[in-house]
Amino acid sequence: MNEQPLVSVIIPNYNYASTIGECIRAAQNQTYPAVEVIVADDASTDDSVAIARALDVTVLQVPVNSGVSTARNLGARHAKGEVLFFVDSDVALDPDAVERAVDHLREEPQLGAICGMYRAEPMFPDSLVKRYRAIQQYVWFCEIEGAIPGLHSALFAMKKETFLEIGEFNDRLRWTEEQDYGFRLNARYEVKAVPTIRGRHDHDGTLRVMLTKVFNRTRLGAPNWLRLNKLPGGAGTGYRALGSAFLLAAVIALASAAILGPWALLAAAVLTGISIGLDKRTYGYAYRHHGVLFGLQFTVLHLLVTLTSAVAASLGILQGLLFPRMTRRLYRVENPA
């Protein structure tokens, strides 16, 4: 790499007028001097494109809404930089994020990608769900510092030559494109996540949207985890996956209370306690830093997310076992084994 390579910050966007201005301004105000900003818009119907153009950045447009993979690929094709820094349009990078990413890529030439992490505070802390999600993902990301088996696609950097070697994002995937790309990248290179590259994320603001995303990503990702015999970290950490299974068992026990009586209620309470204990770091952070009242609210939301993950993973694994050929056709992942 050159001493000061040009960095192309690529921002895929679809209808994020509420955050894209903050995202672009953060990319423009980096301490690193050699940056071009590219917004790859996926046929937005809001004011996103007008906001981006008013901030004097390169704007590329996909004719028909096709998904984030198509937008990322479009931005990468037009990028002039030796380094590509992908950041989602609902993330505002810390001022030194690009500089730190370039340092890692220069100092560790074996890296396929260097990934950042979210801060514990959302970009706009205007709902309980956003505050919950920010803390949840902050704790999970911080646990998997160092080499990771997947990819944090919301904010990561890689050399353009590596991107060209690995190939583009799979535009057939709408929910699991980062898992697919992360596994392909890990087949040839090391991928790392570090806490020094940060950004504030505008997390989902409603329970319905958050649970829908959790369900879809987990259900569609689970067959691939099964096929590759690897977990992606975060929610897919071994003890968290086990905790999800215990919580699902607790709900089943609770549902059987009419038949089994008080013993089922006791079993449900014990199983729920085990599930919480297995993820005590996440719960503990909320209580320690935000007090008991918020901690109780956090607990309710986190139990709902954990249960949603358990149901989705069960369905996804069942799909993978019953329909393995269909699952293989959904992914073009290279198996590192």
Side-chain angles (χ1 to χ4, degrees), residues 1 10 45 60 85 130 138 150 157 169 186 188 213 223 227 240 262 271 289 305 307:
M1 274 174 52
I10 299 169
T45 57
L60 308 171
F85 195 123
K130 285 185 181 182
Y138 172 78
F169 283 87
N186 269 277
R188 304 188 192 184
K213 283 188 177 180
R227 187 170 70 86
R240 283 206 180 90
L271 291 167
H289 293 271
V305 167
L307 180 60

Side-chain angles (χ1 to χ4, degrees), residues 104-179:
H104 277 281
L105 292 174
R106 182 186 294 115
E107 293 166 6
E108 302 177 77
Q110 78 283 3
L111 280 182
I114 187 72
C115 304
M117 302 181 185
Y118 296 145
R119 287 196 170 275
E121 307 80 25
M123 185 189 293
F124 302 119
D126 51 7
S127 79
L128 174 63
V129 172
K130 285 185 181 182
R131 294 175 63 208
Y132 157 77
R133 193 68 162 158
I135 290 170
Q136 175 211 35
Q137 296 200 348
Y138 172 78
V139 173
W140 289 3
F141 280 169
C142 285
E143 285 180 357
I144 50 179
E145 177 183 352
I148 58 174
L151 182 75
H152 299 167
S153 63
L155 61 165
F156 78 98
M158 64 190 303
K159 298 172 188 175
K160 188 171 184 179
E161 64 180 2
T162 305
F163 181 84
L164 294 174
E165 176 190 346
I166 299 299
E168 297 186 335
F169 283 87
N170 187 343
D171 57 13
R172 293 175 298 162
L173 304 178
R174 289 284 188 133
W175 295 99
T176 56
E177 82 290 334
E178 68 176 31
Q179 296 171 25

Side-chain angles (χ1 to χ4, degrees), residues 18 50 58 76-77 120 123 133 139 147 155 163 183 185 199 236 262 272 308 312 320:
S18 60
T58 299
R77 284 186 216 122
M123 185 189 293
R133 193 68 162 158
V139 173
L155 61 165
F163 181 84
F183 283 129
L185 193 54
T272 301
T308 300

Side-chain angles (χ1 to χ4, degrees), residues 283-300:
Y283 292 100
Y285 185 95
Y287 281 90
R288 284 195 310 274
H289 293 271
H290 297 276
V292 174
L293 179 59
F294 178 82
L296 292 172
Q297 296 171 321
F298 182 95
T299 298
V300 172

Side-chain angles (χ1 to χ4, degrees), residues 11-16 19-21 23 87-91 123 154:
I11 305 171
N13 173 73
Y14 177 65
N15 285 348
Y16 273 93
T19 59
I20 194 166
C23 174
V87 59
D88 285 355
S89 54
D90 56 357
V91 176
M123 185 189 293

Side-chain angles (χ1 to χ4, degrees), residues 35-47:
V35 172
E36 69 164 353
V37 180
I38 298 173
V39 172
D41 185 75
D42 189 23
S44 291
T45 57
D46 63 4
D47 294 332

Side-chain angles (χ1 to χ4, degrees), residues 264-279:
L265 296 176
L266 178 61
V270 171
L271 291 167
T272 301
I274 294 173
S275 175
I276 291 172
L278 286 168
D279 199 7

